[in-house]
Amino acid sequence: MKYATEFRDGKLARKIAAAIDAECTPDRSYTFMEFCGGHTHTIARYGLEEMLPKSIRLVHGPGCPVCVLPVGRVDSAIELARDHGVILCSYGDMMRVPGSHRMSLLRAKAAGADIRMVWSTLDALKIARENPDREVAFLAIGFETTTPPTAMALKIAKAERLTNFSIFCNHVLTPAAMRAILDGESLPLQGIIGPGHVSAVIGIEPYQEFADRGQAIVVAGFEPLDLLQAILMLTRQVNEGRPRVENAYVRALPAVGNPKAREVIAETLQLRGAFEWRGLGRLPDSALRVADDYADFDAELKFQLPYRAVPDPKSCACADVVRGLKRPEQCPLFGRTCTPDEPIGSCMVSSEGGCAAHWLYGRHRNKAAA
Amino acid sequence: MNEQPRRRDTRLFPRPLDIANGRVDMTHGGGGRAMAQLVSEIFGQAFDNEFLSQGNDMAVMPPADGRLVMSTDGYVISPLFFPGGDIGSLAVHGTINDVAMSGATPLYLSASFIIEEGLPLADLRRIVLSMADASRAAGVPIVTGDTKVVERGKADGVFISTAGVGVLADGLEIGGDRIQEGDAILVSGSIGDHGIAILSKRENLDFETAIESDSAPLHRMIRAMVEAEPEIHCLRDPTRGGLAATLNELANQSGVGLVLEEEALPIKPAVRGACELLGIDPLGVANEGKLLAFCPKDKAEALLAVMQAAPFGSDAAIIGHVVADPLKLVRLETSFGSERVVEWLNGEQLPRIC
């Protein structure tokens, strides 16, 4: 627990908050995006926004893997399990994500589909070995952080000639999403907090292009002190007028990331021409698919899953929430028809989603304090 | 109670059950001789008591002095055996605790078994002996029971349903709707042990931990508590959904707000570490041998001392207080210095925890 609790020290946190306050120039406003859902969760859980001066505004970004997965992809996963007789292995986060007609993996499972919740790709491989007569597919989602285990599973499956195993690959790329946010309609940002675990794979260099576009970038860990420290560093960069990429997560993160993991990814996965993101639309070179050399393990080819774009549920504001254009409570569905128990939009499903985080920790804050 | 354990009737059942190698099959639920032998040699011998040996489909018990309290609970836990207990002891402790949370003294239990074809007889006997031990140690006999066998794949090893009857002394009024503003909130010991012990043994998540389930009967602690402090407003065992679910339930039932202090929560370092690793909140993890108590603030210290002196209560702590709150929120004052709302969790990460 050391290395975790010491980064949750409330007294130190107030000191950093005071330093941020002192750093803020009067009459100037600072808008920063925390890209990652893990950061959103920490900010909401520890009530960090309340510790910050009014001139700092934090915007929740799209870095929650289940939140950016479009309905069409959820439908394909359900189809895979329900219509192809496949044992579909999925991380727990995906189970309640609503697809079309309020169907989800959890509901498809209740209706008879063989869907297994796993904690790692190794579990999926084990299930494939134990069920040689069945097809086993792993529903791969996530940013660069969760990509290496998928890549390793492909290598292992090929080495073991596991002919009944495949991957339904939905891995997406952080820099592509950042580019889309800066290119598209969004709030004017001055800085971005980068996810530490993504950089643990890709390093910090890929963010240089955003610094070149005038964004202050600080890559941070996931404890409250990590985030406050990152906000302090961003504020200083803005005040100095010298945007650059900084690493605030030196205790865990070498600036080069993990070249070995990148090697395995490069061998087993390759860029897709375009991929649809919920909220951000179709983005070029923004996601990975199974590489041609591993095509036998590509569930999309093996089961001929066509991608069908499906519009988001009516009045659901997830698309605006993941771009920081709306706060969760500004969605007409928030807390009314859309709750973590009965999510309509994907941001309400994972605790990393902006809506779920706000529902869990934030929604009563003002009322309770009154 | 009978002094002599019952012997196998060699005229009825010439060959003993092959407990070492045998398995439950469909004949064990068919109502014939095989079922009679299973009931006699596994259940009858283990649970043996004067009520069960009446040999009827029901037990006849003497009149009780006070109001009757009754509760029932089903047990479907996976795995059947886990560090610190098994489905049998859990089925005894859980129902004893449910009866006792009213302040009542539990008197009798019933037990009903739904067994999956193929369950090794050795496993069944181990479970039944564990139930018998738990019931004897608690002083609450299993007085009637039932056995059914279902086809392979229609259950998972064995499901057990127990019911408990107890007697409640006059003057005790303990319930989830009686919590009042100003009450103190106490917990009888460390939280999250059961859920983490089970999780560590799930087939897809085997991790090394010394954590054992806290499964335990709490009726003796409760008797000591109500004798020392009859003004206890509420007792509740925070099982599935952990403290988070139970406290939200109670806040709604009593129409109050609850405020917890994170620093005061007793959590074992290994449980804290496992929760951290898995990204789960110890407040949402199940307990099977803990209770929450609500009493007027000025009685809290005395009640705490009684709990700490009682069996299974040595780590008891005062963890919060009750406030007026029309929103009926459960709030946590974090050691970080902020405050957050404690919500019900969605819980599907841990199916079949009890």
Side-chain angles (χ1 to χ4, degrees), chain A residues 83 93 95 143 159 185 231 236 242 257 269 321:
Chain A
D83 304 338
D93 269 12
M95 294 298 284
F143 289 85
E185 181 199 0
I231 292 165
R236 282 184 180 147
R242 204 159 62 84
L269 300 168
V321 171

Side-chain angles (χ1 to χ4, degrees), chain B residues 46-106:
Chain B
F47 295 154
D48 195 29
N49 60 61
E50 60 177 307
F51 304 102
L52 202 59
S53 58
Q54 291 164 0
N56 297 316
D57 285 346
M58 82 302 289
V60 179
M61 283 93 70
D65 183 22
R67 291 165 291 171
L68 288 181
V69 173
M70 187 168 176
S71 181
T72 185
D73 213 338
Y75 298 86
V76 298
I77 192 164
S78 168
L80 297 174
F81 303 96
F82 49 85
D86 55 63
I87 189 171
S89 53
L90 187 68
V92 169
H93 297 153
T95 298
I96 285 177
N97 290 346
D98 282 348
V99 171
M101 294 301 150
S102 63
T105 303

Side-chain angles (χ1 to χ4, degrees), chain A residues 25-265:
Chain A
T25 314
D27 307 326
R28 184 164 190 178
S29 69
Y30 304 80
T31 306
F32 302 135
M33 172 176 278
E34 90 276 3
F35 179 86
C36 174
H39 285 156
T40 304
H41 185 89
T42 302
I43 289 165
R45 183 181 173 111
Y46 290 91
L48 298 187
E49 277 175 307
E50 283 151 66
M51 301 178 81
L52 297 173
K54 294 251 178 298
S55 51
I56 293 190
R57 172 155 182 209
L58 295 178
V59 174
H60 311 318
C64 156
V66 309
C67 304
V68 294
L69 199 66
V71 173
R73 291 254 153 202
V74 180
D75 287 352
S76 293
I78 292 167
E79 181 189 323
L80 195 52
R82 196 183 49 196
D83 304 338
H84 295 273
V86 165
I87 300 177
L88 183 71
C89 301
S90 168
Y91 291 134
D93 269 12
M94 276 304 299
M95 294 298 284
R96 286 181 304 118
V97 178
S100 297
H101 315 296
R102 308 206 82 178
M103 184 49 86
S104 64
L105 292 178
L106 196 70
R107 286 183 176 162
K109 183 173 187 284
D114 194 344
I115 298 171
R116 319 254 179 112
M117 202 188 93
V118 296
W119 295 77
S120 116
T121 54
L122 295 177
D123 296 330
L125 287 167
K126 190 168 160 229
I127 291 170
R129 286 183 207 109
E130 288 169 354
N131 295 275
D133 305 335
R134 301 276 309 275
E135 281 292 335
V136 176
F138 177 72
L139 172 54
I141 63 153
F143 289 85
E144 292 86 340
T145 324
T146 52
T147 308
T150 302
M152 273 315 294
L154 283 166
K155 275 197 81 145
I156 295 170
K158 192 172 192 182
E160 293 184 15
R161 298 193 178 84
L162 273 177
T163 52
N164 64 330
F165 180 79
S166 59
I167 297 260
F168 179 33
C169 184
N170 296 281
H171 285 297
V172 289
L173 303 173
T174 303
M178 282 190 184
R179 219 170 286 136
I181 283 168
L182 294 178
D183 290 345
E185 181 199 0
S186 84
L187 288 171
L189 295 176
Q190 286 135 307
I192 300 173
I193 304 173
H197 51 15
V198 166
S199 284
V201 178
I202 67 172
I204 62 171
E205 192 279 329
Y207 298 131
Q208 187 54 47
E209 63 170 291
F210 308 115
D212 295 342
R213 292 176 64 171
Q215 292 294 319
I217 311 280
V218 175
V219 180
F222 296 86
E223 299 302 333
L225 291 194
D226 288 322
L227 280 160
L228 289 170
Q229 179 65 28
I231 292 165
L232 178 61
M233 289 164 77
L234 286 174
T235 313
R236 282 184 180 147
Q237 283 196 31
V238 172
N239 285 348
E240 289 166 10
R242 204 159 62 84
R244 57 196 183 274
V245 182
E246 286 186 291
N247 179 6
Y249 199 26
V250 280
R251 73 176 183 282
L253 174 61
V256 294
N258 185 343
K260 207 158 209 158
R262 290 200 296 273
E263 235 170 70
V264 181
I265 293 169

